Each structure stands twice: as C-alpha cells, then as structure tokens.
C-alpha cells in the first residue's frame, strides 16, 4: 500500500507515492519516532486516511493490530464502498460500531470469513497467518510462486486454512521471517 514497484530485466525500481517537502503527519503523534523503520509507511497511511491515531496525539505503533483495524484499512483502501442492503453475518459486529461497514463489506466480498459462521472477533489481536489470509483474499490473486515455506523451521505451525495464503505472502515479500522464523501464530503491531 505504501510504494509502487516496477520489475524490468531483473531490476526493481521503487516509486514512492509520498510527495516530498511537506508536513510530516507523524509529528502530530507524540509516540511516533521519525527515526524508526516505520516512519515513511506510517506517514503514508496517515496521509491517505487508511489509518488514524488511537487518540488525537497517539498512534500506538507498538500497540496490537486488531482484526477490525486491518479490515478497516482494506475497506478504506477500496474506497469505502457503500454497504447499504448488505447483510451483517456476524453477531459480534454491532451495526453502529466504527468498523461495522468495513466488516460487512469484507464479508460480502469474501475478504473475511470470520472466526466462526456467526462471529468475527473484531477486537481480537490478528495473527500473522490471519493477515496473510485476509490480504490474499483481498488481492484476489492465485498463488503461482513458491514462497519456500520449508526454509522456515516453524512452517509446520501454519494452520491449514492459511498455508496457501502464507506461501503467497512470503513469495511476494509481504511477510518476511523474523530471526529466521515466520511466527504464523504471533500477532502484529500497528506499525507492522
């Protein structure tokens, strides 16, 4: 979501979508450090409105990313489509909640399946394998590349439903190892 890439003759060129010489959105948040690895991507997410702070002055970069937060980012990325008339399949998603439209849209478009047929668990921390599954469904891409999951010692810890999606995410560089491991059951931070 942050940068566009072009691959030609084995060379990768990165085109950032963030204009130069402008006010840094991170400066509005006391807990964002402009010297950290997340600075430019978080600025982009704030600038485009795909993510907001947790308060007027805090972003909580090390806070846990929830299932509702990720789906809301994707909903905003899709242009916040109208969900009028679409059913809410999840009993734990209140119609007036800040994430209701995003979850309804995601369910209607096959981006999410819920933690059961009737629950979404919106406030639960999202795992790395759940992120892979949701991103793969959102991208609507078939996996034709081998992410070489067998090179990770914890590949056996990936749940069956997420195996193809993790392979897809690793092959595309969306999820990388951490200290040589995939950590599929671990949660992610808001900065990640």
């Amino acid at each position: 979501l942050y940068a566009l890439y072009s691959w030609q003759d084995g060379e990768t060129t990165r085109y950032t979508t963030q204009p130069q010489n402008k006010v840094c959105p991170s400066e509005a948040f006391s807990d964002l450090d402009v010297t950290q690895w997340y600075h430019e991507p978080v600025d982009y997410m704030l600038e485009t409105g795909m993510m907001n702070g947790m308060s007027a002055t805090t972003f909580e970069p090390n806070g846990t990313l929830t299932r509702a937060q990720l789906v809301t980012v994707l909903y905003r990325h899709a242009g916040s489509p109208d969900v009028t008339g679409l059913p809410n399949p999840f009993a734990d998603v209140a119609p007036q909640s800040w994430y209701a439209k995003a979850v309804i849209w995601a369910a209607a478009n096959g981006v999410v399946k819920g933690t059961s047929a009737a629950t979404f668990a919106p406030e639960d921390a999202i795992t790395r394998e759940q992120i892979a599954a949701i991103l793969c469904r959102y991208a609507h891409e078939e996996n034709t590349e081998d992410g070489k999951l067998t090179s990770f010692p914890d590949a056996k810890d990936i749940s069956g439903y997420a195996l193809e999606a993790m392979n897809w995410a690793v092959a595309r560089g969306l999820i990388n190892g951490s200290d040589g491991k995939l950590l599929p059951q671990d949660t992610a931070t808001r900065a990640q």
Side-chain angles (χ1 to χ4, degrees):
L1 298 176
Y2 165 64
L4 301 174
Y5 294 88
S6 173
W7 291 273
Q8 184 176 0
D9 301 324
E11 297 290 321
T12 301
T13 304
R14 178 176 172 218
Y15 302 95
T16 60
T17 56
Q18 201 170 17
Q20 302 300 315
N21 301 324
K22 52 189 276 181
V23 176
C24 174
S26 291
E27 290 178 0
F29 299 95
S30 62
D31 58 351
L32 289 176
D33 184 343
V34 298
T35 65
Q36 292 298 309
W37 62 270
Y38 58 70
H39 176 237
E40 288 183 27
V42 167
D43 271 3
Y44 176 76
M45 297 302 278
L46 290 168
E47 192 170 69
T48 59
M50 284 189 275
M51 287 186 85
N52 298 317
M54 295 299 287
S55 76
T57 59
T58 60
F59 183 81
E60 296 183 21
N62 297 318
T64 303
L65 184 68
T66 67
R67 292 171 50 82
Q69 288 171 354
L70 178 63
V71 170
T72 300
V73 167
L74 296 178
Y75 174 67
R76 291 172 180 163
H77 184 260
S80 302
D82 184 21
V83 297
T84 303
L86 295 177
N88 177 357
F90 305 116
D92 60 351
V93 175
Q96 299 307 317
S97 62
W98 61 267
Y99 49 77
K101 288 181 181 178
V103 174
I104 291 167
W105 163 83
N109 288 280
V111 176
V112 297
K113 296 183 179 185
T115 55
S116 76
T119 59
F120 180 69
E123 298 297 337
D124 282 6
I126 194 163
T127 65
R128 290 165 58 90
E129 69 180 9
Q130 288 172 347
I131 291 170
I134 290 171
L135 291 178
C136 186
R137 290 184 205 122
Y138 179 73
H140 301 293
E141 290 183 18
E142 287 195 25
N143 187 28
T144 57
E145 298 177 55
D146 183 4
K148 303 196 182 343
L149 296 181
T150 55
S151 65
F152 296 95
D154 60 344
K156 66 185 179 333
D157 298 335
I158 301 170
S159 300
Y161 80 88
L163 196 55
E164 185 177 325
M166 283 293 281
N167 188 57
W168 172 85
V170 170
R172 282 156 183 76
L174 299 175
I175 293 184
N176 299 308
S178 178
D179 294 326
K181 294 182 179 179
L182 283 173
L183 309 172
Q185 306 295 325
D186 282 15
T187 58
T189 65
R190 286 174 46 82
Q192 291 169 333

